[in-house]
Amino acid sequence: MPPALQSREDVIDTLMLVVRRRGYDGASLAELSKATGLGKSSLYHYFPDGKDDMVRSVLDRLEGQMRESVFGPLMARGAPRARLDAMVKTLDAFYRGGREACVLGTLVLGSARGRFQKRINGLFDDWITAIARPLEDAKMSRSVARARAEDAVTRIEGALVLAGARDDGDVFRRMLRQLPADLLAPVKHARR
Amino acid sequence: MPPALQSREDVIDTLMLVVRRRGYDGASLAELSKATGLGKSSLYHYFPDGKDDMVRSVLDRLEGQMRESVFGPLMARGAPRARLDAMVKTLDAFYRGGREACVLGTLVLGSARGRFQKRINGLFDDWITAIARPLEDAKMSRSVARARAEDAVTRIEGALVLAGARDDGDVFRRMLRQLPADLLAPVKHARR
DNA sequence: GTCTATAATAGGATAGAC
DNA sequence: GTCTATCCTATTATAGAC
């Protein structure tokens, strides 16, 4: 028999794209079928448990991609600034300069939230932990590093919402450009 | 005939709540009907053009609320810090300490985005303009004020996403607490 | 203004041929 | 593995009685 025309990963990438653009509820099987070029039955062959199975697979793949392309470089040895710059570059590509939404964000804001909340929250948390690493290496306290890392993810997600509202990724790209310097800025001590 | 048991505004508030929680696609007529206590036909009596009509009405009401409770106080005379504090207090209540999502955010991240994009973008823009006002009054340049105001909205939306993922409003409330001081912090000049 | 009933369609999922 | 055909349910929307 001939090999599949596209790998399972290719299929999942397409599913991810549709989910990012339409959300869980908006991504109908008809649309997923059309986008992947596979009939509904073929989709069920790959993902026997249906739509939830597809979304779980999307999250699996996303997790793999983040580990490899985001968390890994952040955790690696190297100058903190260079590691943050690498993340920024990766994110700019992944979100296509702010024109594509975040899978996690779209899943959180919709009726499927409860179903995938643990996974989503875990990924956000790992992300924050990974960003905190270069900040600690730059001699920040654990708590300051974590607070700033959380603020970074907050900004990323928020900028993607604004960019989506405008259909223009400029906000996102401007935010990204400032991010490394903001994260590494000298720590101000609270006035007593 | 007896007066309606609830005003049109009460009905719209309930619709808004469901949309915030489930998104456009997730908010089915069945659910909207149940939440409002009105039969589907009654909903169509109030909103002849169906679901889109309901969402438009939700956006109308949101716009009114924002004008009155957010934009108004921000534009009023008074100390910049006090005006920002007032906004923070209003937002904390409106988003129930981060436990309720943003209508605009949920509508942006879903299949209905295109349909309401102009309205949503307009509201975000008015919001940013309103926040910039007290910053300009605090002697910031127009461009710095606008950039910071945009960053504020970015943070608010992002924090709501994170809070939703965690089912815990702490991130949102912490962000809000810092917001006024961050917005009014002395302007750093770029190194040349 | 609210209800029950019903239409028409879209959605998720499965059966079985090839 | 992929397809066509089909099933069942949910969803949007309307008609018409009260």
Side-chain angles (χ1 to χ4, degrees):
Chain A
M1 63 198 93
L5 289 165
Q6 52 186 341
S7 69
R8 182 184 165 89
E9 294 195 336
D10 287 339
V11 172
I12 295 176
D13 282 340
T14 304
L15 297 178
M16 194 189 292
L17 200 66
V18 177
V19 170
R20 288 169 85 171
R21 290 183 181 165
R22 318 272 306 178
Y24 179 86
D25 303 285
S28 69
L29 285 194
E31 207 162 348
L32 295 168
S33 168
K34 192 176 165 191
T36 54
L38 297 171
K40 293 185 193 180
S41 300
S42 299
L43 282 178
Y44 273 85
H45 171 75
Y46 286 103
F47 311 98
D49 291 340
K51 207 167 151 178
D52 278 22
D53 204 353
M54 300 179 207
V55 172
R56 271 193 302 272
S57 302
V58 164
L59 287 173
D60 287 342
R61 178 142 173 78
L62 179 69
E63 181 168 341
Q65 291 176 334
M66 290 185 83
R67 284 197 193 298
E68 186 181 320
S69 312
V70 181
F71 305 165
L74 282 171
M75 307 286 226
R77 55 217 158 294
R81 174 69 197 227
R83 285 144 67 191
L84 293 171
D85 284 342
M87 173 180 80
V88 161
K89 203 175 166 188
T90 301
L91 295 181
D92 191 34
F94 184 71
Y95 295 110
R96 298 213 331 145
R99 273 164 306 167
E100 294 287 352
C102 177
V103 199
L104 303 177
T106 45
L107 289 176
V108 165
L109 283 74
S111 73
R113 178 177 131 190
R115 225 168 324 181
F116 305 105
Q117 194 161 37
K118 268 192 169 170
R119 284 296 297 280
I120 294 170
N121 187 22
L123 281 170
F124 274 135
D125 201 56
D126 291 346
W127 194 1
I128 290 168
T129 302
I131 296 178
R133 195 65 81 86
L135 305 189
E136 288 176 45
D137 290 348
K139 308 295 177 208
M140 281 177 220
S141 73
R142 189 173 275 266
S143 66
V144 166
R146 190 165 172 89
R148 287 194 179 192
E150 185 179 81
D151 185 55
V153 174
T154 295
R155 275 174 147 149
I156 289 163
E157 293 299 316
L160 289 170
V161 170
L162 271 184
R166 291 181 184 165
D167 208 10
D168 178 348
D170 276 4
V171 222
F172 178 73
R173 298 217 307 281
R174 259 181 287 132
M175 180 277 305
L176 273 192
R177 207 174 312 129
Q178 277 189 216
L179 200 61
D182 285 356
L183 285 171
L184 291 171
V187 177
K188 286 247 183 61
H189 291 83
R191 297 185 194 117
R192 54 200 90 181
Chain B
M1 65 198 92
L5 288 166
Q6 52 184 342
S7 70
R8 182 183 166 89
E9 295 194 336
D10 288 338
V11 172
I12 295 176
D13 282 340
T14 303
L15 298 178
M16 195 188 293
L17 201 65
V18 177
V19 170
R20 289 169 84 171
R21 290 184 182 165
R22 319 272 305 179
Y24 179 86
D25 302 285
S28 69
L29 285 192
E31 207 163 347
L32 295 169
S33 168
K34 192 177 166 191
T36 55
L38 296 171
K40 295 183 192 178
S41 300
S42 299
L43 282 178
Y44 273 86
H45 170 76
Y46 286 104
F47 311 99
D49 291 340
K51 208 166 149 177
D52 278 23
D53 204 352
M54 299 178 209
V55 172
R56 272 194 301 273
S57 302
V58 163
L59 287 173
D60 286 343
R61 177 141 175 80
L62 179 69
E63 181 167 343
Q65 291 176 333
M66 290 184 84
R67 284 196 194 298
E68 186 181 321
S69 311
V70 182
F71 306 164
L74 281 171
M75 307 285 224
R77 56 219 158 291
R81 173 70 196 228
R83 284 145 68 191
L84 292 172
D85 284 341
M87 174 181 80
V88 160
K89 204 174 164 188
T90 301
L91 295 181
D92 191 35
F94 184 71
Y95 295 110
R96 298 214 331 147
R99 274 164 305 166
E100 294 287 351
C102 177
V103 198
L104 303 177
T106 47
L107 289 175
V108 164
L109 284 87
S111 74
R113 178 177 131 190
R115 225 167 324 179
F116 305 106
Q117 194 162 36
K118 269 192 168 170
R119 283 296 296 280
I120 294 169
N121 187 22
L123 281 171
F124 274 134
D125 201 57
D126 291 347
W127 193 2
I128 290 167
T129 303
I131 295 177
R133 195 66 79 84
L135 305 188
E136 288 176 44
D137 291 348
K139 307 296 178 206
M140 280 177 221
S141 73
R142 187 172 277 265
S143 66
V144 167
R146 190 166 173 89
R148 288 195 178 191
E150 186 178 80
D151 185 55
V153 174
T154 294
R155 276 176 147 143
I156 289 163
E157 293 299 315
L160 289 171
V161 170
L162 271 184
R166 291 182 184 164
D167 208 11
D168 177 347
D170 276 4
V171 223
F172 179 73
R173 298 217 307 283
R174 260 182 287 132
M175 179 277 304
L176 273 191
R177 207 175 312 130
Q178 278 189 218
L179 200 61
D182 285 356
L183 284 171
L184 292 172
V187 176
K188 285 248 181 63
H189 291 82
R191 297 187 194 116
R192 55 199 90 181

